[in-house]
Amino acid sequence: MTQRGRPRSFDRAAALRRAMEVFWAQGYDGTSMSNLIAAMNVNSPSIYAAFGSKEALFREAVALYRETEGGRILSAMTTAPSTRAAIETMLRVSAEEYTRPGKPRGCLIVLGALHADDGNEVMRRELQVHRAESLTMLLQRLKRGVAEGELPNGPDWRAIATFYITVQQGMSIQARDGATRKALLAVADCAIAAWDGLVSYRRDGRAL
């Protein structure tokens, strides 16, 4: 019986991981097909046959990043024993992940497609959704602390969650600009030092 089609001559999973690191380092706009061909060691027709398009490949690369590199940050946050520890762990693990030797610096979800143009609008919006999901997860963790009696009910928890996510995203930019792990861990320590003050005030600015 004749086998239909040509057998794939490369490891798709390994090629996807290499593509992820190129997108992570250079962003969606900064990554050309020639960059992908060189990194994946696969020719253009094979890339299109396996992944469909650059957009589809980027989407798969983002999913892989979230499951692996970014997943370590979210896992550390959700398994921490207290809400304060969850935020501290999120920031400290972020500092470590954003500066891992041999890996691109910063976060693919934060840096992958920040500027809108005709060629990247769909990808930019999808990354925007992923960033919003991270904020929602942190806000849910804070609300869980309130529900369990660990935290007071008065503070503006959405503002506090937004503050810490903003710090985390800023750490990603700093890492891309060359900040050391030590410097980012110091930022994390400063942010968590603000915790007691943040949870001590109501939405109207009055002390609890």
Side-chain angles (χ1 to χ4, degrees):
M1 181 176 178
T2 302
Q3 184 177 1
R4 291 187 177 180
R6 191 174 179 178
R8 185 174 294 149
S9 59
F10 67 93
D11 183 332
R12 189 182 191 279
L16 176 59
R17 176 166 286 278
R18 289 192 290 269
M20 177 192 76
E21 295 199 353
V22 175
F23 284 127
W24 186 0
Q26 300 178 191
Y28 181 79
D29 294 327
T31 300
S32 66
M33 282 305 298
S34 60
N35 296 146
L36 294 168
I37 291 167
M40 299 166 74
N41 196 27
V42 180
N43 61 35
S44 179
S46 294
I47 291 176
Y48 284 113
F51 298 100
S53 65
K54 177 186 173 183
E55 185 177 285
L57 175 57
F58 182 74
R59 190 174 286 114
E60 284 199 46
V62 168
L64 178 61
Y65 179 87
R66 296 185 77 206
E67 291 169 7
T68 55
E69 315 295 338
R72 284 189 280 270
I73 297 172
L74 295 178
S75 176
M77 181 182 72
T78 55
T79 58
S82 69
T83 309
R84 185 185 187 280
I87 292 176
E88 181 174 11
T89 302
M90 177 190 77
L91 294 176
R92 294 185 68 83
V93 172
S94 294
E96 293 166 1
E97 290 296 319
Y98 294 166
T99 56
R100 287 175 64 199
K103 295 287 186 179
R105 298 176 70 85
C107 173
L108 172 59
I109 306 302
V110 174
L111 301 172
L114 283 174
H115 302 291
D117 61 35
D118 292 340
N120 77 352
E121 181 61 15
V122 172
M123 295 297 94
R124 188 189 69 82
R125 287 186 180 277
E126 289 189 13
L127 291 186
Q128 188 176 28
V129 168
H130 292 320
R131 291 192 294 270
E133 287 172 355
S134 296
L135 172 61
T136 298
M137 287 183 65
L138 181 54
L139 181 57
Q140 289 173 344
R141 185 65 181 84
L142 293 170
K143 289 182 175 180
R144 177 180 139 195
V146 174
E148 293 176 351
E150 177 195 353
L151 300 175
N153 192 33
D156 186 342
W157 292 114
R158 176 170 289 278
I160 292 171
T162 302
F163 167 73
Y164 282 111
I165 287 294
T166 301
V167 171
Q168 184 198 37
Q169 292 175 354
M171 290 166 63
S172 173
I173 296 171
Q174 290 293 312
R176 180 60 58 88
D177 283 348
T180 64
R181 177 173 294 183
K182 181 179 179 181
L184 295 184
L185 288 171
V187 171
D189 289 343
C190 288
I192 201 62
W195 172 257
D196 289 341
L198 291 171
V199 304
S200 298
Y201 287 87
R202 304 168 65 93
R203 289 176 175 82
D204 58 9
R206 292 184 299 169
L208 292 173

